[in-house]
Amino acid sequence: MEVLRSIIGKVATGATLTREESASALDSIMSGDATPSQIGALLMGMRVRGETVEEVTGAAWAMRNRVPRVEAACDPVGLAGTSETLMHSANVSTCASFIVAGAGIPVTKHANRAAFSGSSAADLLARLGVKVDLKPQAIARCLKEAGIGFMFASVHYPAMQRIGQIRSAVGTHTIFNLAEALCNPAGLKRQIVGVFSPEWVQPLAYVLKNLGAESVWVVHGSDGLEEITLTGPTSVAALEAGIVRTFEVTPEEAGLARCRNDALESRDAEASAVALQNVLDGIPGRFRDAALLNAAAALVVAGRASTLQEGVALGQESLDRGAAASRLKRLIAVSNA
């Protein structure tokens, strides 16, 4: 407790924490040793000053040490986001996950169970018939037998449930948003992470490098989405062979047309489920294009495609031959077994 007080005092002066200090602070919070006032003071102090690469690295390292592992016999690619307020981003990436799995690349998608109230990935999957809130052993079975698994922070971070109300009261993004997105229980080396702010695109790629990732895209759409957007350019920081480089991608680069900001809006889980099923059933539209664009990026990160255009072609094949749809059907069966 005295160590945590000292760390909070350091943050209060505007000083930054070392990787080890950040890990110690987050470990104290997750172990239940910190009081609500201490948690709020630490989170807001770091948020106002601005979190650093070393602090997020330490926080993610501490959280990874506490998460129950999902033993994946395969080498999956992961998709995750850092926001708790974005409405439909999770639904596009959820659809993209089935497309990627249908193309032969195992996928794990990691999200906060309560992130998108009423229209979350969990709400969407449950509406489709998938059993959510599975334990690690069951998720590992889904990965092995269906080629896809979904993981929710409320299940894998029991300690996070204790501080959820405090985070809600703070009412803004905190270091937890950033660290959680990097703590997929399957221990990924390859993943795409959408971030809530363009200022975190490049830094988060360096955090993932610090944590041992091998192939990463960190993305932020010009319209504010935590995904590769159809409405304009998307900022990307790619980690490849130990080097971080930044660039922009556009829908046209992938052979897709742009659309308006409101073209993908979906107000509830039922509408999202219908939209996703339509894509898997082969119905064209903007939702299909958005899912293909993000699936293409995941296929590039996984080493299955060399360009976005090639990734889109592979995604279209996954849909057209029914492979993506079969991944959903198999996931429903295995998750409910």
Side-chain angles (χ1 to χ4, degrees):
M1 186 69 74
E2 193 59 41
V3 172
L4 182 59
R5 289 195 188 99
S6 175
I7 291 174
I8 293 171
K10 184 174 180 179
V11 171
T13 68
T16 62
L17 304 178
T18 65
R19 188 181 304 187
E20 293 73 21
E21 288 171 330
S22 179
S24 176
L26 267 290
D27 196 61
S28 293
I29 290 174
M30 295 186 70
S31 66
D33 294 336
T35 66
S37 59
Q38 287 176 323
I39 296 172
L42 180 66
L43 296 183
M44 284 307 298
M46 297 176 78
R47 174 62 174 156
V48 170
R49 183 251 292 150
E51 301 88 349
T52 69
V53 167
E54 287 296 290
E55 288 170 342
V56 178
T57 300
W61 182 81
M63 293 177 72
R64 285 184 173 195
N65 281 345
R66 285 185 171 271
V67 64
R69 289 295 300 271
V70 170
E71 298 300 332
C74 55
D75 182 19
V77 64
L79 294 90
T82 56
S83 180
E84 295 184 347
T85 57
L86 196 59
M87 180 176 58
H88 67 260
S89 177
N91 299 336
V92 168
S93 57
T94 298
C95 188
S97 297
F98 289 107
I99 296 173
V100 174
I105 302 296
V107 177
T108 65
K109 188 177 188 322
H110 187 225
N112 189 312
R113 177 63 176 83
F116 308 92
S117 179
S119 189
S120 71
D123 296 316
L124 167 62
L125 291 167
R127 188 60 65 105
L128 290 168
V130 177
K131 185 176 180 181
V132 297
D133 294 348
L134 297 177
K135 298 299 183 182
Q137 187 176 1
I139 296 171
R141 185 181 174 202
C142 289
L143 266 174
K144 180 180 179 180
E145 298 186 19
I148 187 168
F150 289 85
M151 310 169 184
F152 298 98
S154 61
V155 175
H156 294 281
Y157 303 118
M160 295 300 292
Q161 298 176 24
R162 296 195 298 269
I163 62 172
Q165 291 182 336
I166 299 171
R167 292 175 64 187
S168 296
V170 168
T172 186
H173 296 105
T174 70
I175 195 169
F176 277 111
N177 294 90
L178 298 164
E180 275 180 350
L182 313 183
C183 297
N184 189 299
L188 299 176
K189 296 295 184 181
R190 309 176 297 174
Q191 67 183 116
I192 292 182
V193 180
V195 290
F196 56 80
S197 170
E199 70 186 49
W200 273 107
V201 172
Q202 187 179 53
L204 217 61
Y206 281 105
V207 172
L208 283 160
K209 179 182 178 181
N210 289 342
L211 294 170
E214 296 174 357
S215 179
V216 167
W217 275 25
V218 181
V219 304
H220 178 82
S222 57
D223 52 3
L225 294 184
E226 295 182 26
E227 61 192 27
I228 304 177
T229 180
L230 273 182
T231 69
T234 296
S235 298
V236 181
L239 172 64
E240 302 160 337
I243 304 297
V244 174
R245 65 185 182 95
T246 59
F247 53 92
E248 284 190 344
V249 297
T250 64
E252 292 84 357
E253 183 179 333
L256 299 170
R258 298 192 186 199
C259 69
R260 300 190 315 272
N261 286 6
D262 60 354
L264 298 173
E265 287 188 2
S266 179
R267 296 296 177 181
D268 55 44
E270 183 175 0
S272 296
V274 170
L276 187 148
Q277 192 64 62
N278 285 343
V279 173
L280 298 187
D281 289 343
I283 298 175
R286 292 306 192 188
F287 192 81
R288 172 187 166 106
D289 288 351
L292 281 170
L293 181 56
N294 284 271
L299 290 167
V300 170
V301 168
R304 183 75 169 80
S306 56
T307 66
L308 286 178
Q309 209 157 20
E310 182 182 348
V312 167
L314 290 170
Q316 289 172 333
E317 181 184 355
S318 172
L319 290 171
D320 293 344
R321 62 186 175 87
S326 72
R327 292 305 89 201
L328 172 58
K329 292 176 183 177
R330 186 61 181 149
L331 179 63
I332 293 170
V334 176
S335 66
N336 284 282

